[in-house]
């Protein structure tokens, strides 16, 4: 039976181990579509998996990687045939189902989205789960009824993957964007993406008042905890915040004041089990609303052998923008 390169995670006496190795095709899990993986990316959750910093992996052995773009090799699913270009993210890949850091993946056809016209496989993974999550967040704010005339949108974790794509999207859609970052040295980068104002994350990371001065119509938050509480407290009347991450913690030390006194809404953004129609809408919008030049500007490329080290850098906040991983 054939083998292929993959980053394999195994249970160890203390925690887990991760290594680039050869994986036996016979060990692939059940699925009705087999894909030749061409590109992947490094997300925050991937960093947790390959470093073992958090128990996100729930099956061993595991192939890490929560998203990929590639070409269908064979399929028994009615929607897919050999040669189709596809994108896949979430659905437990890299956690409960063998994931994307491999030359082959076998998944359920219902998990796949057709690669949109005008987006290459590399660009799709430059977007990746982070960018797709940013798009879902923008869609939530639009569904709430927000538009550029309502006021600025704040984006936290601005220099990270979700933040970078969110700024580029919002800017192209005509919004004034306030970027919150702990890396003020990245101000030029953030302004090039479209941010009109930069604030230090320390302004939002300390405990604040139940209600603060109204500063923004909405926000996209990948930090959580006290930062999210402060975003809510400073959101304008009938505004909304889309929460899509927890880099700062899972807690939410907030009060009900913004909700019952200003009618603020908090939207939870789930990218993992998101229904297929919402996924298709997000990828369709990414194909039209994300400036390819800005996407390339925020993207750097690595090989499969660099993923483990890069995952540690992502957790340490040392990576700007997006990372694409060339698999083949």
């Amino acid at each position: 039976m054939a083998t292929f390169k993959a980053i394999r995670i195994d249970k160890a006496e203390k925690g887990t181990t991760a290594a680039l190795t050869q994986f036996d095709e016979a060990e692939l899990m059940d699925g009705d579509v087999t894909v030749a993986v061409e590109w992947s990316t490094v997300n925050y959750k991937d960093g947790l998996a390959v470093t073992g910093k958090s128990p996100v992996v729930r099956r061993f052995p595991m192939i890490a990687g929560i998203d990929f773009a590639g070409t269908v090799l064979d399929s028994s699913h009615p929607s897919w045939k050999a040669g189709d270009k596809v994108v896949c993210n979430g659905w437990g890949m890299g956690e409960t189902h063998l994931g994307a850091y491999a030359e082959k993946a076998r998944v359920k056809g219902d998990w796949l989205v057709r690669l949109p016209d005008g987006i290459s496989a590399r660009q799709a993974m430059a977007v990746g789960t982070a960018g797709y999550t940013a798009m879902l967040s923008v869609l939530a704010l639009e569904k709430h009824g927000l538009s550029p005339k309502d006021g600025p949108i704040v984006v936290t974790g601005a220099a990270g993957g979700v933040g970078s794509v969110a700024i580029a999207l919002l800017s192209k859609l005509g919004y004034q964007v306030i970027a919150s970052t702990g890396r003020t040295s990245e101000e030029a980068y953030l302004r090039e993406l479209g941010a009109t104002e930069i604030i230090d994350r320390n302004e939002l990371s300390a405990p604040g008042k139940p209600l603060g001065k109204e500063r923004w119509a909405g926000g996209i938050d990948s930090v959580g905890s006290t930062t999210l509480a402060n975003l809510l407290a400073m959101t304008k009347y009938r505004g909304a915040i889309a929460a899509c991450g927890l880099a700062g913690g899972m807690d939410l030390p907030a009060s009900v004041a913004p909700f019952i006194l200003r009618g603020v809404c908090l939207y939870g953004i789930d990218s993992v089990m998101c229904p297929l129609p919402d996924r298709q809408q997000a990828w369709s919008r990414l194909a039209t609303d994300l400036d390819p030049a800005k996407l390339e500007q925020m993207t750097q490329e690595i090989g499969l052998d660099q993923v483990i080290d890069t995952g540690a850098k992502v957790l340490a906040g040392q990576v700007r923008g997006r990372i694409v991983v060339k698999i083949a």
Side-chain angles (χ1 to χ4, degrees):
M1 184 64 69
T3 63
F4 53 86
K5 288 192 299 183
I7 293 180
R8 173 175 172 145
I9 300 178
D10 287 288
K11 189 74 174 173
E13 185 175 341
K14 292 184 179 180
T16 62
T17 61
L20 178 59
T21 185
Q22 290 292 316
F23 198 90
D24 196 323
E25 190 170 344
E27 292 189 71
L28 283 175
M29 298 172 69
D30 290 341
D32 48 13
V33 181
T34 303
V35 178
V37 180
E38 297 162 6
W39 296 91
S40 186
T41 181
V42 185
N43 300 283
Y44 191 83
K45 187 179 286 185
D46 297 317
L48 294 174
V50 297
T51 62
K53 291 290 180 66
S54 181
V56 295
V57 177
R58 302 174 191 174
R59 175 200 185 276
F60 298 96
M62 175 55 62
I63 295 176
I66 66 171
D67 49 10
F68 67 73
T71 303
V72 173
L73 290 172
D74 60 73
S75 169
S76 59
H77 190 281
S79 296
W80 306 106
K81 65 182 185 304
D84 286 341
K85 299 290 186 178
V86 294
V87 177
C88 189
N89 67 280
W91 303 115
M93 284 199 306
E95 300 176 75
T96 58
H97 191 93
L98 296 178
Y101 294 151
E103 293 176 308
K104 287 186 181 180
R106 184 173 295 142
V107 298
K108 294 181 180 180
D110 290 342
W111 296 355
L112 298 171
V113 174
R114 194 172 303 278
L115 185 70
D117 291 340
I119 295 183
S120 68
R122 185 185 187 278
Q123 288 173 320
M125 284 299 99
V127 172
T129 293
Y132 150 74
T133 302
M135 189 73 250
L136 290 175
S137 300
V138 171
L139 291 172
L141 298 183
E142 290 182 343
K143 186 176 180 180
H144 183 75
L146 293 182
S147 67
K149 65 179 176 57
D150 294 312
I153 304 295
V154 63
V155 176
T156 64
V162 174
S164 294
V165 178
I167 292 170
L169 286 168
L170 291 165
S171 174
K172 187 172 181 183
L173 292 169
Y175 289 90
Q176 177 186 348
V177 183
I178 301 172
S180 168
T181 181
R183 291 180 271 172
T184 53
S185 60
E186 300 289 7
E187 178 172 351
Y189 163 76
L190 296 171
R191 290 191 182 278
E192 286 171 4
L193 292 181
T196 55
E197 182 181 348
I198 314 296
I199 61 175
D200 194 297
R201 70 180 176 196
N202 292 330
E203 290 188 37
L204 302 172
S205 60
K209 299 177 180 179
L211 278 178
K213 180 181 178 181
E214 296 178 62
R215 296 181 62 179
W216 33 72
I220 295 176
D221 176 59
S222 59
V223 179
S225 191
T226 305
T227 295
L228 177 54
N230 284 323
L231 290 195
L232 292 164
M234 290 184 272
T235 298
K236 294 182 178 182
Y237 182 72
R238 297 187 69 81
I241 301 295
C244 59
L246 44 71
M250 293 184 65
D251 60 323
L252 181 56
S255 78
V256 298
F259 306 112
I260 64 175
L261 297 179
R262 290 183 181 161
V264 171
C265 285
L266 175 61
Y267 290 93
I269 306 301
D270 163 52
S271 63
V272 176
M273 305 302 290
C274 183
L276 185 60
D278 292 348
R279 292 172 182 266
Q280 292 169 329
Q281 182 187 16
W283 280 103
S284 176
R285 285 286 300 274
L286 283 161
T288 59
D289 293 353
L290 184 58
D291 185 335
K294 287 186 178 180
L295 180 63
E296 183 60 31
Q297 179 184 347
M298 69 177 81
T299 302
Q300 53 186 303
E301 181 179 319
I302 64 171
L304 197 55
D305 59 343
Q306 297 170 276
V307 164
I308 297 173
D309 287 343
T310 303
K313 291 178 181 177
V314 168
L315 297 188
Q318 298 172 352
V319 172
R320 180 179 83 178
R322 303 291 297 127
I323 302 286
V324 289
V325 182
K326 189 172 184 179
I327 302 296

